[in-house]
Amino acid sequence: MTAIKHALQRDIFTPNDERLLSIVNVCKAGKKKRNCFLCATVTTERPVQVNVVKVKKSDKGDFYKRQTAWALRDLAVVDAKDAVKESPEFDLHFDKVYKWVASSTVEKNTFISCIWKLNQRYLRKKIDFINVSSQLLEESVPSGENQSVAGGDEEAVDEYQELNAREEQDIEIMMEGCEYAIANAEAFAEKLSRELQVLDGANIQSIMASEKQVNILMKLLDEALKEVDQIELKLSSYEEMLQSVKEQMDQISESNHLIHLSNTNNVKLLSEIEFLVNHMDLAKGHIKALQEGDLTSSRGIEACTNAADALLQCMNVALRPGHDMLHAVKQQQQRFSDLREQFARRLASHLNSVFVQQGHDQSSTLAQHSAELTLPNHHPFHRDLLRYAKLMEWLKNTDYGKYEGLTKNYMDYLSRLYEREIKDFFEVAKIKMTGTTREGKKFATLPRKESAVKQETESLHGSSGKLTGSTSSLNKLSVQSSGNRRSQSSSLLDMGNMSASDLDVADRTKFDKIFEQVLSELEPLCLAEQDFISKFFKLQQHQSTSGTTTNEVEEMDGVALSRSYTSAVPQTVSSEKDMIRQMMTKIFRCIEPELNNLIALGDKIDSFNSLYMLVKMSHHVWTAQNVDPASFLSTTLGNVLVTVKRNFDKCISNQMKQMDEVKISKKSKVGILPFVAEFEEFAGLAESIFKNAERRGDLDKAYIKLIRAVFDSVEKVANESQKTPRDVVMMENFHHIFATLSRLKISCLEAEKKEAKQKYTDHLQSYVIYSLGQPLEKLNHFFEGVEARVAQGIREEEVSYQLAFNKQELRKVIKEYPGKEVKKGLDNLYKKVDKHLCEEENLLQVVWHSMQDEFIRQYKHFEGLIARCYPGSGITMEFTIQDILDYCSSIAQSH
């Protein structure tokens, strides 16, 4: 490295008047190693310039070339990377950051130390050295006249001192005064030496001559010292005097501080006393009201309320730290507790007396409502009690035990009172219901056997012992075939019998009004009581809009289920709502059983009442849920609605069951089946009841079940019918079903209406085709044979050569059906059709017209076969199409 340093100094820096001080062999970090040298140099000329030069060895030879130079004043940061761990990496921050890797750590440290020394000597700007060992920097010597920068080379620089301007001027003046100063330097130096010796002698003589003056000066200095000692003594006395004054001032300051502290404490004490007096002093008037206040008058209740609020404020005052340790405060708190306990007992006793008195007073009014379907009004009682609402709130906040006791007593007294009222109310409703039906529905009071005999008598009267399609005869057959079935009032089929017994729409409407009046009386009663409980007992009954509760009744596998969905609500609101619901449940515990009994009675009187009850109950449940989905009324009516829905489903199931068990007479024609006629009655009644009802979906489901059961039962009866052809039974009944559905326009049964029309059309066509084969039987058989020969491959014009189907055989068959014979056959056919069809549906002319069209079609078919198979034979039928029209018209008119 020394050889490289000398070479660089000789070849690069000496020509540029620079001296090389330190060198380090480096390469760029992270790149392929291409070595170069970083050199720290100074210029030999004044002023000195310090540079960092990058020198690179030429690729074409062994000489070096100067590549880049940076002024040391442009260097901002020297980063050694790690001050503890030795690392060859370091960064120099000039205009940008240059990252280097030295060939050895020693070279890096030597180079950084040289930079540090140059910075300390020449630069006013201080370079930041980071991650550099403090030991490395301490090795450098502080800047001075003889500071060594870089060994022996720099010491020569330190010995040289430049002459200043005055020294240069004096030398020039001396040289001008001596002519040979330049020509003979030695003589000039000797002259200067002699003059210097003369000056030294003069200086010594001058010093010796001034000794007297020095002695005088010393004497003056001794006198001055004495004066200084006197001044110091005076200053000491002054200091002692000031110290005394200072002690006195300190005592005055401490006294003032104590006075200020005392005043401050007095102010704070006064503030505390005023606070206690203002917040814990209860007026005498309030104390008297709490001890002796009148709880019966409005003015007394108001005074007690104000006194209770004032007492509560005194008891709830937020005491400051230490107040609770004061004896007076403890006494006052004890006094407040005694007043609270005394007034709470007095208030609870008075309200219990009011509850008892209300029960007695209300009981006296029950006789007034016994004959009317109305419930007593509790509004006056609620109005009187609401005067104590604020006191109840006070009691709830101060003595929750007595508050709970009052709540329990209220529920006990009122539950007994409401139970008497509600039971009497429902008894009146039951009497009106049974009284409504006893006059017109005698079967309801008859024993089971006697009712069945009565129905037999009615069914036999006017029916000549035949099954005519009346509901009475079907009931007769039902009673005969199934003696252990439920009472007739629970089936769809028996509704016809009830109609025959004057059970009409007016009776059902009357029941509907009674049931509606029952619900209309119960609803405001429950809502008024719930609102009173909420206000009187200070319970929050309305929850925030974030949570809703809905009761739904839905059908799953034929079983009605009640489900309640409740979203999260604040805990306090939820607990208070639960408390209201529990109180209402205990007070009105008899409502749900009484409603269920009333529903059972209505269902026993008439199963169709379940339709009215389902609609009315659904409407009231919907109304109650809109007011408060989680209220007692909503929950109770929702539970009762489940019972009503089960009765409705049971009614539909029993109707379907009795359709399956229906029997028909083997000796009389069927006609319109009773359950078909009764479905028409059921649908008409249901449509009038469920008009704009919320539970329309339940009716639609029942419709689907019933109509499918009707379809299946019609086909079953048609297959079992022996007297009436199957096609006639299907045609008449499906025509009746189609007419019913078209008239009522039930949207959910559109597909069934189309199906009924299709079945009616198909069986009408089938019956017509089957019946028309009878009047021209031989002619039909003959042409069937002709068509069979053609189907076997015989050409139509060659059929006449067949022995069994030649022209003579054709003429023989045609002669057997002259016009007179045809008319006779059509007349017999008309009579037979008339015997098959029933009068109720009035389809005779429709069927006859279809038979006429079918007969004409067959006639044209026969003539076509004659023209094709017997061409030129001149054979024709002995009657024409016009004759057929005349025959049919004449026969229809004659009957």
Side-chain angles (χ1 to χ4, degrees):
M1 182 63 71
T2 305
I4 296 174
K5 183 176 180 181
H6 285 293
L8 293 176
Q9 177 67 51
R10 182 185 66 247
D11 298 338
I12 295 178
F13 298 114
T14 299
N16 292 328
D17 295 329
E18 291 179 290
R19 184 163 58 255
L20 176 60
L21 301 182
S22 181
I23 183 172
V24 59
N25 186 7
V26 297
C27 64
K28 289 187 177 180
K31 294 189 177 181
K32 186 177 180 182
K33 292 187 177 181
R34 297 183 64 183
N35 291 347
C36 58
F37 299 96
L38 289 181
C39 304
T41 66
V42 294
T43 59
T44 57
E45 296 180 355
R46 299 288 177 168
V48 178
Q49 298 292 328
V50 185
N51 297 318
V52 177
V53 182
K54 178 181 176 184
V55 177
K56 183 179 179 184
K57 189 175 182 179
S58 176
D59 295 335
K60 297 180 180 180
D62 293 335
F63 61 92
Y64 297 91
K65 63 179 180 179
R66 186 186 185 115
Q67 188 173 18
T68 309
W70 300 276
L72 189 63
R73 65 175 177 272
D74 295 333
L75 180 61
V77 178
V78 175
D79 186 0
K81 295 297 185 181
D82 196 334
V84 179
K85 185 179 178 183
E86 293 186 353
S87 171
E89 298 181 0
F90 66 97
D91 296 344
L92 299 179
H93 295 233
F94 289 103
D95 54 342
K96 65 178 183 179
V97 179
Y98 293 90
K99 297 180 180 292
W100 307 100
V101 180
S103 60
S104 69
T105 307
V106 175
E107 290 186 12
K108 181 189 84 167
N109 292 339
T110 302
F111 183 76
I112 292 176
S113 178
C114 182
I115 295 295
W116 165 265
K117 295 174 182 179
L118 293 172
N119 175 59
Q120 294 294 321
R121 180 175 178 82
Y122 295 108
L123 298 182
R124 294 181 181 177
K125 173 187 176 184
K126 299 300 180 180
I127 301 174
D128 292 334
F129 289 82
I130 60 176
N131 297 321
V132 179
S133 172
S134 58
Q135 183 179 1
L136 181 63
L137 299 180
E138 288 172 358
E139 292 176 355
S140 70
V141 181
S143 59
E145 294 181 356
N146 298 322
Q147 181 181 3
S148 175
V149 177
D153 294 334
E154 188 61 24
E155 290 177 0
V157 178
D158 294 339
E159 293 174 358
Y160 171 78
Q161 292 185 0
E162 186 177 3
L163 297 176
N164 55 35
R166 183 176 180 181
E167 290 174 342
E168 290 180 359
Q169 186 177 2
D170 291 342
I171 290 174
E172 289 178 358
I173 294 173
M174 289 174 61
M175 293 178 70
E176 288 177 358
C178 185
E179 297 178 355
Y180 53 86
I182 296 176
N184 190 353
E186 292 180 359
F188 180 66
E190 187 178 354
K191 179 184 178 181
L192 292 178
S193 178
R194 288 195 301 270
E195 291 179 356
L196 180 59
Q197 290 175 0
V198 173
L199 290 175
D200 288 339
N203 287 336
I204 293 172
Q205 291 178 1
S206 176
I207 291 172
M208 294 175 65
S210 61
E211 181 178 359
K212 185 179 180 180
Q213 297 293 330
V214 171
N215 291 331
I216 296 172
L217 177 62
M218 293 299 292
K219 184 178 180 180
L220 292 175
L221 288 174
D222 291 337
E223 294 176 355
L225 289 173
K226 291 179 181 180
E227 292 293 334
V228 168
D229 292 338
Q230 292 178 0
I231 292 172
E232 286 182 353
L233 290 175
K234 290 183 179 181
L235 289 176
S236 297
S237 64
Y238 293 157
E239 185 177 359
E240 291 177 358
M241 296 172 64
L242 289 175
Q243 183 65 29
S244 175
V245 173
K246 178 178 179 297
E247 291 176 356
Q248 294 177 4
M249 293 302 296
D250 290 341
Q251 291 177 358
I252 294 172
S253 175
E254 184 176 358
S255 176
N256 289 337
H257 175 69
L258 292 175
I259 294 172
H260 177 72
L261 183 62
S262 176
N263 290 336
T264 303
N265 290 336
N266 289 335
V267 170
K268 289 184 178 180
L269 178 60
L270 180 62
S271 174
E272 297 294 331
I273 294 174
E274 288 178 348
F275 172 80
L276 293 175
V277 171
N278 292 335
H279 291 86
M280 296 193 68
D281 185 25
L282 190 62
K284 292 182 178 180
H286 289 334
I287 297 175
K288 185 176 181 180
L290 292 173
Q291 293 176 340
E292 304 173 359
D294 185 10
L295 289 174
T296 58
S297 65
S298 298
R299 181 175 296 178
I301 293 172
E302 184 179 0
C304 290
T305 302
N306 295 333
D309 290 339
L311 176 61
L312 184 61
Q313 290 178 3
C314 290
M315 296 185 69
N316 291 339
V317 63
L319 295 177
R320 297 168 184 172
H323 283 179
D324 54 351
M325 300 177 65
L326 296 176
H327 182 67
V329 172
K330 291 180 179 179
Q331 286 184 338
Q332 194 73 346
Q333 287 178 336
Q334 183 61 41
R335 185 182 183 188
F336 290 157
S337 298
D338 294 341
L339 282 173
R340 179 191 64 186
E341 183 66 23
Q342 181 182 357
F343 181 68
R345 284 199 305 270
R346 201 162 68 89
L347 177 62
S349 176
H350 176 74
L351 289 178
N352 280 326
S353 301
V354 174
F355 296 159
V356 175
Q357 184 64 33
Q358 163 64 13
H360 293 311
D361 294 344
Q362 200 72 19
S363 299
S364 62
T365 63
L366 289 178
Q368 303 175 5
H369 299 273
S370 59
E372 302 176 3
L373 194 58
T374 57
L375 283 166
N377 188 2
H378 288 247
H379 176 69
F381 174 57
H382 291 166
R383 181 191 59 213
D384 294 340
L385 278 180
L386 283 177
R387 298 181 301 169
Y388 302 95
K390 292 184 178 180
L391 290 176
M392 283 298 296
E393 183 179 12
W394 176 86
L395 190 62
K396 179 181 179 182
N397 295 328
T398 57
D399 194 338
Y400 197 76
K402 289 186 174 57
Y403 171 82
E404 281 188 326
L406 277 177
T407 303
K408 184 176 182 300
N409 292 338
Y410 179 83
M411 290 190 293
D412 291 340
Y413 292 131
L414 267 294
S415 62
R416 291 195 290 269
L417 174 63
Y418 275 119
E419 186 172 0
R420 292 195 301 270
E421 293 178 354
I422 291 172
K423 285 187 176 180
D424 292 344
F425 173 72
F426 275 96
E427 283 300 320
V428 174
K430 292 175 184 177
I431 291 173
K432 287 184 176 292
M433 285 184 182
T434 54
T436 301
T437 57
R438 279 170 185 163
E439 298 177 359
K441 297 184 294 181
K442 297 180 180 178
F443 77 91
T445 59
L446 294 176
R448 174 81 178 105
K449 185 174 180 181
E450 184 180 351
S451 178
V453 173
K454 184 175 183 293
Q455 292 174 18
E456 280 192 38
T457 304
E458 292 179 355
S459 63
L460 291 174
H461 180 69
S463 63
S464 302
K466 297 181 180 180
L467 181 61
T468 61
S470 68
T471 311
S472 304
S473 60
L474 183 59
N475 286 331
K476 179 193 73 174
L477 294 172
S478 300
V479 172
Q480 290 174 345
S481 63
S482 179
N484 60 350
R485 295 212 305 266
R486 67 188 294 272
S487 64
Q488 290 79 7
S489 62
S490 63
S491 69
L492 175 63
L493 301 177
D494 296 324
M495 289 306 300
N497 188 33
M498 294 175 189
S499 298
S501 302
D502 298 329
L503 178 59
D504 53 12
V505 177
D507 296 328
R508 294 168 182 161
T509 304
K510 193 168 185 179
F511 170 83
D512 181 39
K513 290 181 179 179
I514 294 174
F515 191 72
E516 171 63 24
Q517 188 172 357
V518 169
L519 296 179
S520 299
E521 288 288 326
L522 288 175
E523 185 172 337
L525 180 72
C526 293
L527 292 177
E529 184 63 31
Q530 178 169 319
D531 185 61
F532 167 75
I533 289 175
S534 173
K535 293 178 180 178
F536 182 70
F537 292 98
K538 293 301 176 182
L539 300 173
Q540 186 174 356
Q541 63 173 325
H542 295 295
Q543 65 189 27
S544 60
T545 57
S546 62
T548 59
T549 304
T550 59
N551 292 326
E552 295 183 357
V553 179
E554 59 180 26
E555 188 174 352
M556 183 181 298
D557 297 332
V559 180
L561 302 175
S562 177
R563 301 195 309 180
S564 176
Y565 303 94
T566 308
S567 65
V569 295
Q571 185 65 29
T572 303
V573 178
S574 177
S575 60
E576 292 188 351
K577 287 177 66 65
D578 291 341
M579 187 172 179
I580 292 176
R581 194 157 44 244
Q582 291 173 5
M583 293 180 66
M584 291 290 292
T585 302
K586 185 170 183 180
I587 292 173
F588 293 106
R589 58 175 177 262
C590 64
I591 284 185
E592 186 171 339
E594 290 294 333
L595 272 175
N596 287 331
N597 292 337
L598 187 69
I599 290 168
L601 176 63
D603 189 60
K604 182 178 179 181
I605 293 172
D606 184 355
S607 64
F608 271 18
N609 286 338
S610 62
L611 276 70
Y612 290 100
M613 290 187 288
L614 181 62
V615 172
K616 294 299 181 184
M617 189 60 70
S618 300
H619 175 71
H620 282 272
V621 169
W622 180 81
T623 304
Q625 288 183 351
N626 284 342
V627 175
D628 185 359
S631 66
F632 163 79
L633 180 66
S634 177
T635 305
T636 302
L637 294 184
N639 295 336
V640 175
L641 178 60
V642 174
T643 303
V644 174
K645 179 62 168 57
R646 286 172 179 164
N647 289 344
F648 175 77
D649 294 338
K650 188 176 180 181
C651 173
I652 300 300
S653 299
N654 286 330
Q655 294 166 16
M656 295 168 60
K657 181 179 178 182
Q658 292 200 5
M659 289 181 194
D660 293 337
E661 296 175 355
V662 68
K663 302 294 182 181
I664 62 170
S665 174
K666 297 180 180 180
K667 297 182 180 180
S668 59
K669 62 183 178 180
V670 178
I672 301 301
L673 291 171
F675 53 78
V676 174
E678 294 310 322
F679 174 78
E680 177 184 9
E681 182 181 355
F682 170 81
L685 180 62
E687 285 299 307
S688 63
I689 295 173
F690 278 80
K691 186 177 182 181
N692 300 325
E694 291 86 358
R695 305 286 300 196
R696 179 71 196 191
D698 295 325
L699 179 63
D700 291 343
K701 293 177 183 178
Y703 275 149
I704 298 296
K705 292 180 180 179
L706 279 178
I707 198 67
R708 297 318 311 177
V710 169
F711 280 16
D712 295 342
S713 298
V714 167
E715 292 192 9
K716 176 185 174 184
V717 172
N719 293 332
E720 295 175 355
S721 174
Q722 297 180 3
K723 184 70 174 178
T724 305
R726 178 179 183 277
D727 288 331
V728 173
V729 176
M730 298 286 286
M731 172 185 65
E732 289 183 328
N733 284 280
F734 280 107
H735 177 268
H736 192 85
I737 294 171
F738 171 71
T740 298
L741 297 180
S742 299
R743 175 172 56 83
L744 295 178
K745 298 179 180 179
I746 302 173
S747 59
C748 67
L749 297 180
E750 282 297 319
E752 285 74 10
K753 182 179 75 172
K754 295 178 181 178
E755 182 180 353
K757 181 180 180 181
Q758 186 63 41
K759 287 181 179 291
Y760 156 68
T761 304
D762 293 344
H763 288 287
L764 171 62
Q765 188 66 23
S766 175
Y767 177 66
V768 168
I769 293 175
Y770 172 78
S771 299
L772 276 178
Q774 304 303 321
L776 306 177
E777 184 176 1
K778 292 182 179 180
L779 193 60
N780 273 319
H781 288 329
F782 182 84
F783 282 111
E784 286 175 359
V786 171
E787 291 176 341
R789 293 298 186 277
V790 174
Q792 292 173 1
I794 299 176
R795 297 172 62 186
E796 290 181 343
E797 57 270 16
E798 295 178 357
V799 172
S800 60
Y801 298 107
Q802 298 291 320
L803 182 62
F805 301 101
N806 56 28
K807 297 177 183 179
Q808 289 78 10
E809 291 296 327
L810 176 60
R811 288 190 180 95
K812 185 188 297 184
V813 173
I814 289 176
K815 285 183 179 180
E816 292 185 9
Y817 294 101
K820 183 179 180 181
E821 192 66 26
V822 170
K823 182 177 180 181
K824 182 179 179 181
L826 289 175
D827 187 62
N828 292 333
L829 178 61
Y830 186 88
K831 292 178 181 179
K832 188 174 182 178
V833 171
D834 186 27
K835 185 178 180 181
H836 288 163
L837 299 179
C838 67
E839 297 179 359
E840 294 95 328
E841 202 60 20
N842 197 21
L843 288 177
L844 180 59
Q845 295 304 320
V846 176
V847 173
W848 185 244
H849 189 271
S850 298
M851 286 186 170
Q852 172 184 296
D853 294 341
E854 178 63 23
F855 193 35
I856 293 174
R857 187 192 65 76
Q858 289 187 15
Y859 178 87
K860 293 180 179 179
H861 178 62
F862 294 157
E863 282 195 337
L865 286 175
I866 293 173
R868 294 194 303 274
C869 298
Y870 304 93
S873 63
I875 300 174
T876 59
M877 304 287 285
E878 294 191 1
F879 56 92
T880 63
I881 292 177
Q882 185 60 43
D883 293 335
I884 295 173
L885 295 174
D886 293 340
Y887 297 157
C888 291
S889 176
S890 175
I891 291 170
Q893 291 177 3
S894 64
H895 290 78

